[in-house]
């Protein structure tokens, strides 16, 4: 069992043990995920690029960032489990699509968007 599979199983059992599956609808989990992403953003908001790059050097800030990342991961993994989506598989598929849309030789060092998909 991979680390992601172990985490998925542990989160599933955690929800079952508390009878929280009734609340773990895709909508509720997606909303919770969005909220946690907002909390992660709040940790970086108003920081300069230099401060953002060094945020993990500050012990208190690093703790908060790690905590928010954990919350984001937890809700993302739980949402994928409820929707029966293999996160690793869809991430590889998306990366393959992005590699096709953004060939390295054309987009190296550029932040421009690719043309829309037809």
């Amino acid at each position: 069992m991979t680390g992601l599979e172990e985490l998925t199983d542990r989160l599933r059992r955690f929800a079952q043990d508390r009878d929280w599956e009734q609340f773990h609808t895709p909508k509720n989990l997606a909303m919770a995920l969005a909220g946690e992403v907002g909390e992660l953003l709040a940790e970086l908001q108003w920081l300069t690029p230099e401060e953002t790059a060094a945020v993990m050097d500050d012990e208190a800030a690093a703790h908060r960032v790690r905590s928010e990342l954990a919350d984001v991961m937890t809700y993302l993994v739980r949402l994928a489990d409820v929707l029966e989506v293999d996160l690793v598989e869809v991430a590889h598929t998306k990366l393959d699509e992005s590699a096709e849309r953004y060939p390295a030789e054309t987009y190296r060092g550029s932040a421009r968007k690719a043309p829309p998909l037809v």
Side-chain angles (χ1 to χ4, degrees):
M1 189 179 281
T2 68
L4 186 56
E5 290 167 336
E6 287 178 27
L7 178 60
T8 299
D9 186 58
R10 184 172 178 196
L11 288 167
R12 188 182 306 126
R13 283 185 280 116
F14 185 88
Q16 289 169 343
D17 289 348
R18 289 155 182 79
D19 192 26
W20 286 355
E21 290 177 301
Q22 61 184 314
F23 309 117
H24 286 192
T25 64
K27 176 198 68 83
N28 287 352
L29 290 167
M31 290 175 67
L33 175 60
E36 294 301 339
V37 169
E39 291 180 21
L40 175 60
L41 286 170
E43 291 299 328
L44 304 174
Q45 188 176 16
W46 310 121
L47 298 181
T48 65
E50 296 77 21
E51 290 169 329
T52 302
V55 73
M56 300 307 284
D57 295 338
D58 176 290
E59 189 176 321
H63 175 77
R64 292 190 308 271
V65 168
R66 282 192 299 271
S67 180
E68 296 308 334
L69 285 168
D71 289 341
V72 168
M73 178 78 166
T74 296
Y75 280 116
L76 178 62
V77 169
R78 185 74 184 119
L79 176 59
D81 184 37
V82 167
L83 293 174
E84 299 180 1
V85 172
D86 181 326
L87 282 173
V88 174
E89 180 182 317
V90 297
H92 281 292
T93 298
K94 183 66 175 188
L95 186 55
D96 291 343
E97 291 169 0
S98 294
E100 207 171 300
R101 263 187 100 191
Y102 296 94
E105 61 276 1
T106 304
Y107 286 89
R108 181 171 283 107
S110 171
R112 76 180 190 277
K113 297 287 285 176
L117 295 173
V118 189

